[in-house]
Amino acid sequence: MAWTDERVELLKTLWAEGLSAAQIANKMGGVTRNAVIGKVHRLGLSGRATPAKPQRGCGPTQQEPREETVAAKPQRSEIKSVIPEVDTITPVVLDTGAMTTVATIKNNMCKWPIGDPAKEDFHFCGQPAAMGKSYCSHHARLAFQPPQRRDRPVVRRPAAAILEKRRAAS
DNA sequence: CCCTGATTCGC
DNA sequence: GCGAATCAGG
């Protein structure tokens, strides 16, 4: 499966959301966690909820003096659960203008995340979505596991199977 | 043994 | 660029 623009987008979002590589891989489908990790690294984004990792290969003495950790944390817009849930839109006051932000998005607008959730220009797709739906028809297929291809040939609900058996017995 | 991300390396 | 294999750790 190729890394399309939107898949990369989704990957970045989920990764920023704090999901593990395996979870992302499982959610997206068609890729393994290795693929996700590899892509994450290739994209340059790596490390977030994994602090204090002296990076594998602990040599005898390694303490490079770092002088680049100056002030660099202006604000981090907390965006909770961008992917799931429709209503309960976090009333975050984040105004960037006429964009479809968390503040301006409506219930019937596509909530597919566009851009970096940690940046100011982050917004949503905004295309018309069915009432009660989170995404427009285009992104809906991406949001829901498209290649959820799992062969389940004759898996009937247990209750139904029992009833069927009973009826046959009597 | 389950899991995590990190790195390597053949493709 | 991609990702399986591998590595290093929790």
Side-chain angles (χ1 to χ4, degrees):
Chain A
M1 184 150 275
W3 281 107
T4 64
D5 233 19
E6 287 175 347
R7 283 177 68 86
V8 171
E9 196 90 24
L10 177 58
L11 168 61
K12 290 198 296 187
T13 302
L14 293 176
W15 184 258
E17 205 78 7
L19 278 87
S20 69
Q23 286 176 312
I24 295 174
N26 182 40
K27 192 176 187 65
M28 295 178 68
V31 288
T32 64
R33 77 179 195 91
N34 294 304
V36 170
I37 292 175
K39 186 60 181 175
V40 163
H41 278 234
R42 252 168 271 126
L43 285 173
L45 30 91
S46 61
R48 16 127 237 208
T50 316
K53 281 282 178 67
Q55 295 185 359
R56 121 184 203 299
C58 309
T61 312
Q62 269 196 331
Q63 266 290 35
E64 283 293 317
R66 49 190 61 189
E67 336 171 4
E68 303 175 32
T69 45
V70 202
K73 55 190 194 91
Q75 60 164 264
R76 194 130 302 239
S77 312
E78 285 287 345
I79 300 182
K80 288 289 185 179
S81 325
V82 178
I83 306 300
E85 315 315 324
V86 186
D87 25 53
T88 63
I89 298 178
T90 314
V92 174
V93 183
L94 204 169
D95 182 84
T96 58
M99 282 289 207
T100 307
T101 63
V102 287
T104 62
I105 195 164
K106 297 291 185 55
N107 283 334
N108 62 337
M109 299 174 81
C110 178
K111 295 167 189 60
W112 184 268
I114 297 178
D116 193 334
K119 286 176 62 180
E120 287 298 324
D121 62 343
F122 174 76
H123 59 288
F124 294 100
C125 169
Q127 288 183 42
M131 290 297 293
K133 293 303 178 68
S134 299
Y135 308 106
C136 63
S137 58
H138 178 62
H139 287 128
R141 286 195 305 274
L142 281 167
F144 297 86
Q145 323 175 8
Q148 185 70 32
R149 309 202 73 275
R150 266 297 160 261
D151 302 311
R152 44 180 69 247
V154 238
V155 178
R156 296 176 185 274
R157 281 185 298 282
I162 293 176
L163 288 176
E164 204 167 331
K165 223 175 227 178
R166 277 189 169 187
R167 196 189 312 170
S170 59

